[in-house]
Structures are given as C-alpha cells and as structure tokens.
Amino acid sequence: MSDSNDLLYEDVCMDFESASGVIRALDPFSFQAQPNEFVVIVGPSGCGKSTLLHITSGLTNPTSGRVLLGGEPILEPGPDKAIVFQNFSLFPWKTVYENIDFGLRINGMPTEKRQALIKDYIQLIGLNGFEKHFPRQLSGGMQQRVAIARSFVLQPRVLLMDEPFAALDAQNRQLMQEELVRIWQTQNPTVLFITHSVEEAVFLADRIIVMTRRPGRIKEVLRPIEHMKDASVHWRSLPYDDVIRRQDFQDLRAHVWQQVKSEIGDRH
C-alpha cells in the first residue's frame, strides 16, 4: 500500500508539436520520491524540468506514462499539490493576508479555521505586521515569503517549486533557502524542487536528480548524505555560510556541476 505522499513516475514521456514537427521534451522518466523527501532536479535549460513539474501538478497530461500520488494517478490540479513559481505569482490587488487566504477560501474552508491557520503561517514565515500590505509594497524576498506561506497553508501532500529563488539577490536567496528548510521541517510535505543552482541543490536535497539535455532523461541520482563527512546531521540544518566552506560540500558541488556541464557542452 502506498503512503499518501509517495510520488511515483512510471515511464513518463512528453511530446510537443512545433513548426518543424514533434519535439520530445521528456523521454521515459521513471522515479519514486519517498514520502516527505526533498528531491531537487538540476539539468541544462530545455531538459524538461519545468515540464515534469507541470505534469506532477496536473496542469499538463503526459503523452504517455503516468504519475501517481499515494497510488492514485494525478489527472488534474488540486490543493494537495501546491506550486511556488519563480515570479511569485501573487495577486497584486490583494493584501498579504488575502493572498494567503485565497486557496483556503476557494476550497471552502470555514472562516474561523482559515483565520487561525493564516495567523499561524504569518507568524511562522515572519510576516507579522505586513498583513495589510500589497505585493508592490514588499521586497522580492518578502513577496516570496508570501508565496511560500500561501502554498504551505494549504498543507499539501506535494510541494512543487519551480526555481523559486532565482529572482532574488544572493543574500535573500541564501536567507530563503534556510527559511524554506525551517518551514518544511514543520510540515514535511514531499518536495519537488527545480533549480539551475548546483549549490542550492546540494544544500537542500535528500536526493538530486541530474537530467540529460533534451529529451530529458535521468543521468544520475545522488544522495548528498552519502557524501557528507558527518552524516548524522544533514547540512541543510546548519548555517549555509558554514556548509559551503566544507570540503565534502565543495566536492559534491563540483561533481554535480561537471555532470550538468557535460550536458550543456556536449552538443554534437
């Protein structure tokens, strides 16, 4: 029997029509994410990372194969699969509170329960005092906090993150990585996280999937904890500044980058 957060990909393929004919974005992709696992996907641009995320969300159906959540095929979007995008995707005409409330309200949650949940998540993600602010009044880092709170408040079984920190400056990106780990550990949904940053992948992941260039296939799957000198504590629970100075971190970062780089450079 499958766990409710067990995410299984069975021979997932995706083709797109173009002026020059059919383009295969994903070749047979098979993988099983363990319940509550933090999976990070890296690979060259155009390798099908975002396509895979959209299929997982139910926004797109694969050409062949299927994705199962808790043993049930994913056929359509739903609140059990929350998405955080790179561009925040907040409603500019809604306040912080209203943005976080939106998903709960359309799913029919009673007002009192919504209010209690939103209060808890505003506190959790450090948005106290900003409840009545509009997105334009917030920094990029604060806007992304709102987007993350909006996703976590739904208490999804799967959290899908498409380069969520790519638009942030280096300082805010580091802070948000640490914040994400802290918040994720309070709820532990299964996470599928896409990034172009090898450092981010190595810091956050339970497992890293390295993709080939298009059509996207799995090139390698790595468990960072197997490369840590002290595997008793995952380095994502430690200060980022300390971790990136470690030799074991830099060794794994270099290996993953070489795997990605070979896909970018090998065009012929």
Side-chain angles (χ1 to χ4, degrees), residues 3-7 33-40 56 69 79-84 121 124 147-161 179-193 204-207 236:
D3 186 282
S4 63
N5 291 6
D6 184 65
L7 190 60
Q34 300 302 315
N36 317 119
E37 188 175 22
F38 202 121
V39 179
V40 181
T56 308
L69 178 58
D80 57 342
K81 303 175 290 294
I83 308 177
V84 179
Y121 278 88
L124 181 65
I148 290 171
R150 185 179 61 181
S151 294
F152 272 102
V153 78
L154 296 172
Q155 300 179 323
R157 295 156 67 188
V158 176
L159 181 63
L160 306 168
M161 309 191 81
E179 281 292 280
L180 173 62
V181 170
R182 181 180 66 82
I183 298 161
W184 170 70
Q185 288 174 337
T186 69
Q187 193 173 310
N188 287 116
T190 302
V191 175
L192 190 67
F193 187 107
L204 292 173
D206 287 314
R207 278 192 290 175
R236 67 180 167 226

Side-chain angles (χ1 to χ4, degrees), residues 12-23:
V12 174
C13 296
M14 192 69 200
D15 295 334
F16 292 103
E17 296 284 345
S18 74
S20 57
V22 175
I23 295 175

Side-chain angles (χ1 to χ4, degrees), residues 95-98 118 122-123 127-134:
T95 63
V96 166
Y97 186 98
E98 291 167 340
I118 294 167
I122 282 176
Q123 172 75 31
L127 292 167
N128 284 323
F130 293 90
E131 294 90 340
K132 295 182 180 180
H133 284 60
F134 291 93

